[in-house]
Amino acid sequence: MSAPDAAKRRAIRTYLIGYGAALLLTGAAFAAVHWPVVGPRASFALILALALVQIIVQFRCFLHIRLNRTSRDDLQLILFSALIVALMVGGTLVILFNLRGRMM
């Protein structure tokens, strides 16, 4: 077996592991909502934790972002983008909850 074949197999295995993990995490989130076992706050925390794990799986298996020296710049760019998106989503949620509080 040549080196390109081994690299190709490793890449396919990584994609399959990522696909399986993404399906499992998505199914777990849907199951937590569809069959609530715990209270709403615990369900929200569980879904948030599953989403964070899903992000890590996406970075690791599909975007091939690792912590070695060559891809550290890519990781910093993605983390900065995630920070900007988190600020936008957080600001939107603050506005929406403030409006909800004023309407009640």
Side-chain angles (χ1 to χ4, degrees):
M1 183 168 31
S2 65
D5 288 340
K8 194 175 188 180
R9 285 184 183 202
R10 192 174 334 129
I12 289 173
R13 185 177 46 201
T14 303
Y15 283 124
L16 288 175
I17 290 171
Y19 182 70
L23 281 178
L24 183 70
L25 291 168
T26 304
F30 278 114
V33 172
H34 194 270
W35 297 291
V37 178
V38 292
R41 288 188 185 263
S43 292
F44 180 73
L46 176 66
I47 291 171
L48 184 65
L50 289 172
L52 290 175
V53 174
Q54 180 84 268
I55 288 171
I56 292 170
V57 167
Q58 298 289 327
F59 280 166
R60 178 96 178 162
C61 296
F62 298 115
L63 297 176
H64 303 288
I65 302 295
R66 291 184 173 48
L67 295 178
N68 56 4
R69 195 70 137 152
T70 57
S71 62
R72 192 168 289 168
D73 293 336
D74 294 338
L75 180 64
Q76 289 176 349
L77 179 66
I78 289 172
L79 290 176
F80 180 73
S81 299
L83 174 70
I84 296 299
V85 170
L87 287 174
M88 289 173 42
V89 169
T92 302
L93 287 175
V94 166
I95 291 171
L96 288 176
F97 283 122
N98 190 3
L99 287 175
R100 180 177 174 235
R102 290 178 182 219
M103 296 288 284
M104 299 271 170

